[in-house]
Amino acid sequence: MSSAPASRRPGGALPRPEGRPVVMGVVNVTPDSFSDGGEWFEPADAVEHGRLLMAQGADIIDVGGESTRPGAERPSVQEELRRVLPLIELIATEGATVSVDTMRAVVAERALAAGASIVNDVSGGLADPDMVPLVAGAGVPFIAMHWRGHSTDMQTRAVYDDVVAEVCAELTERRDVLLAAGIDGADLVLDPGLGFAKLPHHNWAVLARLDALLLLGQPVLVGASRKTFLGRLGVPADAPPRPPAERDAATAATSVLAALAGVWGVRVHDVPSTRDALAVVCAVREQS
Ligand code: PMM
């Protein structure tokens, strides 16, 4: 695998807008993601959606070709590449800052060559032993999420005595490994992995203690968008959750909580509602 070292920018290469968290807009080029699976599976639809998110004010477009919904089966490498590369190439050429959402080093490598500039790995480098050396060699920002195993059976690992303490401890271990491998501290983002090996009450506990994650000393990304725990709000326990597209107001509320806690970024499907919610936070902050 070739991974020519890139020259590092002092202070890191992550976008850092003034006064608010980064807004990462999601394009899942998958037939089966829980939130938008199948909607942007055709290449032309994916490109159009990426452009729309850019126009709506996303700072980063996160492009993924593998669904990580609980129970999901993995696509082949070739299929994942086929899904993500054309979109990345096109929107990067049009000026988007692109992150590739992948657990595979070979996909990350090809995505970086196609114009992506950030690697978002929901396994934090655990799923593929080639990922960390690739990212360290390429000198690009890395988003490392809290992860306890592939989606096929991850919810069996949603077992915690103290979810906040255990997520922080497991992310601390990852941080240390990733920094020791040569990933620049200014470019290493940690993410608590809401919904990944976590039940609804685990997600709420983590959201309530984002301050504990920030104490790890790295930028933090929060990905609550449209996840099932939000769809259960206000719904009787024995009724189905609200559909994903009806979870954007709740998502925007989590973006506000994340901004007030001081996170680096939020990963969302609906960019306008989060940008509006963050504008409220900015307007209030300007008063103090
Ligand atoms: N969630 C999903 C996919 N990728 N990446 C990061 N860093 N954090 C997340 O919480 C995250 C992610 C699953 O949600 P989706 O199917 O809506 O993309």
Side-chain angles (χ1 to χ4, degrees), residues 165-204:
E166 287 167 58
V167 168
C168 285
E170 288 164 38
L171 280 178
T172 300
E173 216 177 296
R174 275 327 286 151
R175 177 199 66 194
D176 293 347
V177 167
L178 296 168
L179 295 178
I183 292 178
D184 188 337
D187 281 338
L188 174 59
V189 178
L190 300 178
D191 180 327
L194 297 174
F196 286 79
K198 288 170 198 77
L199 301 175
H201 67 282
H202 297 134
N203 296 321
W204 290 118

Side-chain angles (χ1 to χ4, degrees), residues 24 26 28 33-36 62 66-69 101 120-122 143-145 191 193-194 196 221-227 267 269:
M24 178 187 265
V26 181
N28 285 317
S33 290
F34 76 93
S35 51
D36 56 355
D62 190 44
E66 172 174 355
S67 166
T68 48
R69 69 184 295 159
D101 185 346
N120 172 25
D121 180 350
V122 297
I143 300 170
M145 203 191 76
D191 180 327
L194 297 174
F196 286 79
L221 176 70
V222 172
S225 186
R226 293 187 178 175
K227 287 186 178 166
R267 178 183 181 278
H269 301 86

